[in-house]
């Protein structure tokens, strides 16, 4: 079984990266300001910090303006700009947009009980099952644990009444997947292909591992000591985890989200609304995205991913049409987060860091 390391939020990992960088003194301020614009310096820094591969996507004016990939896929093999990554929980926003596009088309109701389409045998006799909806799933209020294997029984259960509080859960996303697949008679990968991947020409993106995956471009995942993990090769889509994609593809997807492509105004506004507090000042969950509230109507949408050998993160600033995507393929890849946020998001990056430090 694959052991999934992610916390209930990526807060601890993000904060660890901030603390790491606050203690680094290896660069002058000038060097820090230009580091990721100088290939040779960046490659040297990656080796010194034991980070095999780093991918960066920079969004401005609502468009993906730059893709930067540094490091090696393996010894003496440079990582190409179209490196393929496992992005862990950055899968969840894609699944979210599948559901929200269907809702925008009038084919899916965010508040319709999911039991009409799917009921997990483990909770079939629990009345809380009747309370589960897409809105509750996407705002992480199902009451489920992150994964059922974390329970001593190994079975799915409710930790609280659905809709009453926040608790991050991959199980919730999988529950939604099974409901969607029952309703539409298609796999999640098929639905995503029709609604997102094909229209956006995301040719290197899919939920499953098959012969279409160009393994020569895959970013192998590593632990802190540069020992490789075996790739996760899902034959069935996981709505919460293990999406395969590139910086170019995922950046194209995020631009589409920020520009509300294929989403009705009502659904887009719901996605950006504070559905539930994360018990942290100025931080909420909307529908499928974390929301950082800067005040005065300014905010950021975000999500992170953390698995064995995966640390990924993005931030979108819908008001200014900016964004930043960070992919790494090592357990402690979060070490690059703060530097990148400050370099590419400036004052907004500092605001994000300040919220995490509260």
């Amino acid at each position: 079984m694959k052991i999934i390391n992610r916390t209930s939020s990526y807060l601890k990992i993000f904060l660890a990266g901030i603390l790491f960088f606050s203690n680094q003194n290896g660069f002058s301020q000038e060097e820090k300001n230009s580091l990721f614009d100088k290939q040779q310096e960046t490659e040297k820094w990656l080796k010194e910090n034991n980070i095999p591969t780093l991918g960066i996507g920079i969004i401005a004016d609502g468009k993906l303006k730059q893709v930067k990939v540094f490091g090696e896929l393996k010894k003496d093999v440079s990582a190409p700009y179209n490196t393929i990554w496992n992005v862990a929980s950055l899968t969840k926003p894609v699944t979210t947009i599948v559901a929200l596009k269907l809702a925008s088309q009038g084919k899916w109701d965010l508040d319709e009980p999911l039991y009409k389409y799917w009921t997990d045998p483990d909770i079939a006799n629990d009345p809380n099952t009747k309370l589960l909806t897409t809105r509750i799933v996407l705002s992480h209020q199902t009451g489920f644990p992150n994964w059922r294997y974390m329970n001593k029984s190994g079975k799915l259960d409710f930790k609280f009444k659905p809709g009453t509080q926040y608790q991050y859960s991959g199980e919730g996303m999988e529950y939604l997947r099974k409901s969607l697949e029952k309703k539409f008679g298609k796999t999640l990968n098929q639905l995503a292909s029709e609604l997102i991947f094909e229209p956006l020409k995301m040719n290197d993106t899919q939920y499953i591992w098959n012969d279409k995956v160009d393994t020569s471009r895959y970013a192998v995942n590593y632990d802190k000591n540069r020992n490789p993990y075996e790739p996760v090769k899902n034959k069935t889509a996981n709505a919460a985890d293990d999406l395969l994609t590139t910086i170019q593809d995922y950046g194209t997807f995020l631009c589409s989200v920020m520009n509300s492509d294929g989403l009705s105004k009502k659904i887009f506004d719901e996605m950006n609304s504070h559905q539930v507090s994360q018990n942290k000042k100025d931080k909420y969950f909307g529908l499928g995205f974390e929301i950082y509230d800067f005040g005065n109507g300014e905010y950021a949408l975000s999500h992170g991913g953390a698995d064995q050998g995966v640390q990924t993160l993005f931030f979108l600033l819908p008001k200014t049409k900016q964004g930043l995507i960070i992919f790494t393929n090592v357990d402690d890849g979060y070490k690059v987060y703060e530097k990148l946020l400050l370099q590419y998001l400036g004052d907004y990056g500092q605001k994000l860091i300040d919220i995490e430090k509260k």
Side-chain angles (χ1 to χ4, degrees):
M1 176 189 294
K2 178 180 122 178
I3 303 299
I4 298 175
N5 296 327
R6 76 177 65 86
T7 56
S8 60
S9 155
Y10 57 94
L11 165 61
K12 292 180 182 177
I13 292 170
F14 184 22
L15 192 54
I18 291 172
L19 293 173
F20 172 87
F21 248 105
S22 66
N23 293 320
Q24 300 305 297
N25 297 307
F27 293 105
S28 68
Q29 190 60 47
E30 182 180 354
E31 287 172 327
K32 286 181 179 179
N33 288 340
S34 63
L35 175 61
F36 295 103
D37 291 327
K38 296 182 178 179
Q39 184 85 19
Q40 190 172 357
E41 288 183 16
T42 304
E43 299 287 354
K44 179 183 176 184
W45 181 84
L46 290 176
K47 288 181 180 178
E48 290 172 351
N49 286 276
N50 213 25
I51 296 177
T53 322
L54 168 66
I56 304 169
I58 302 158
I59 296 170
D61 301 322
K63 297 179 181 178
L64 183 64
K65 296 289 189 177
Q66 290 188 49
V67 172
K68 301 183 178 185
V69 178
F70 304 98
E72 297 180 335
L73 295 181
K74 56 185 178 181
K75 186 172 176 56
D76 298 325
V77 179
S78 296
Y81 81 95
N82 58 349
T83 292
I84 296 171
W85 312 73
N86 179 322
V87 294
S89 285
L90 263 60
T91 306
K92 293 181 177 71
V94 176
T95 302
T96 294
I97 296 302
V98 168
L100 296 186
K101 284 197 170 189
L102 289 168
S104 294
Q105 294 172 3
K107 298 176 181 178
W108 190 251
D109 186 337
L110 298 182
D111 297 304
E112 183 179 29
L114 295 178
Y115 79 86
K116 294 183 178 180
Y117 305 107
W118 166 257
T119 301
D120 191 287
D122 287 357
I123 55 172
N125 297 321
D126 191 318
N128 284 320
T129 301
K130 299 271 179 86
L131 302 177
L132 294 172
T133 65
T134 301
R135 183 185 304 277
I136 283 174
V137 167
L138 296 183
S139 57
H140 292 277
Q141 298 184 76
T142 59
F144 293 153
N146 193 5
W147 296 105
R148 71 185 74 198
Y149 74 74
M150 295 175 172
N151 287 333
K152 190 173 181 180
S153 66
K155 293 187 176 182
L156 187 63
D157 64 355
F158 292 96
K159 304 302 182 185
F160 54 83
K161 182 179 178 180
T164 60
Q165 65 187 73
Y166 168 82
Q167 179 169 288
Y168 188 82
S169 177
E171 288 286 355
M173 299 301 292
E174 276 286 82
Y175 209 97
L176 176 59
R177 171 180 70 84
K178 291 170 184 176
S179 300
L180 288 167
E181 290 179 343
K182 286 287 186 181
K183 160 80 171 177
F184 293 101
K186 298 177 180 179
T187 67
L188 177 59
N189 199 68
Q190 289 173 323
L191 289 169
S193 294
E194 293 173 8
L195 293 165
I196 301 172
F197 304 157
E198 291 173 7
L200 295 179
K201 296 181 171 56
M202 295 168 62
N203 298 324
D204 281 318
T205 302
Q206 55 191 65
Y207 285 87
I208 55 177
W209 186 291
N210 57 24
D211 292 342
K212 286 178 61 180
V213 179
D214 183 353
T215 56
S216 71
R217 291 188 281 127
Y218 180 73
V220 175
N221 307 105
Y222 295 92
D223 67 17
K224 294 178 183 180
N225 298 314
R226 291 294 287 266
N227 298 310
Y229 293 110
E230 282 294 319
V232 177
K233 298 183 178 181
N234 290 337
K235 299 303 180 186
T236 300
N238 184 328
D241 200 16
D242 298 322
L243 184 78
L244 298 169
T245 192
T246 64
I247 290 282
Q248 178 75 45
D249 277 8
Y250 205 85
T252 300
F253 163 70
L254 289 179
C255 290
S256 174
V257 172
M258 190 160 57
N259 294 319
S260 69
D261 295 343
L263 300 178
S264 68
K265 184 180 185 305
K266 179 178 184 297
I267 294 297
F268 185 72
D269 289 346
E270 293 264 21
M271 183 187 83
N272 287 275
S273 67
H274 298 174
Q275 300 288 330
V276 64
S277 171
Q278 292 194 45
N279 302 315
K280 185 176 182 64
K281 184 173 172 56
D282 299 324
K283 191 174 179 183
Y284 306 86
F285 229 98
L287 294 180
F289 296 83
E290 293 199 271
I291 300 173
Y292 289 75
D293 192 342
F294 300 146
N296 299 318
E298 294 188 327
Y299 65 100
L301 298 178
S302 179
H303 212 291
D307 267 344
Q308 288 182 333
V310 180
Q311 293 291 338
T312 55
L313 178 67
F314 73 76
F315 286 101
L316 296 177
L317 303 172
K319 295 291 185 180
T320 60
K321 299 293 187 179
Q322 294 171 267
L324 177 64
I325 308 154
I326 308 169
F327 291 174
T328 72
N329 63 331
V330 65
D331 283 345
D332 56 353
Y334 52 77
K335 292 186 292 188
V336 303
Y337 287 176
E338 186 192 19
K339 173 65 186 73
L340 286 165
L341 285 173
L342 293 176
Q343 175 144 331
Y344 292 114
L345 298 182
D347 290 343
Y348 288 109
Q350 187 61 59
K351 289 178 181 180
L352 292 165
I353 292 166
D354 291 344
I355 289 173
E356 286 294 359
K357 285 183 174 178
K358 288 177 182 178

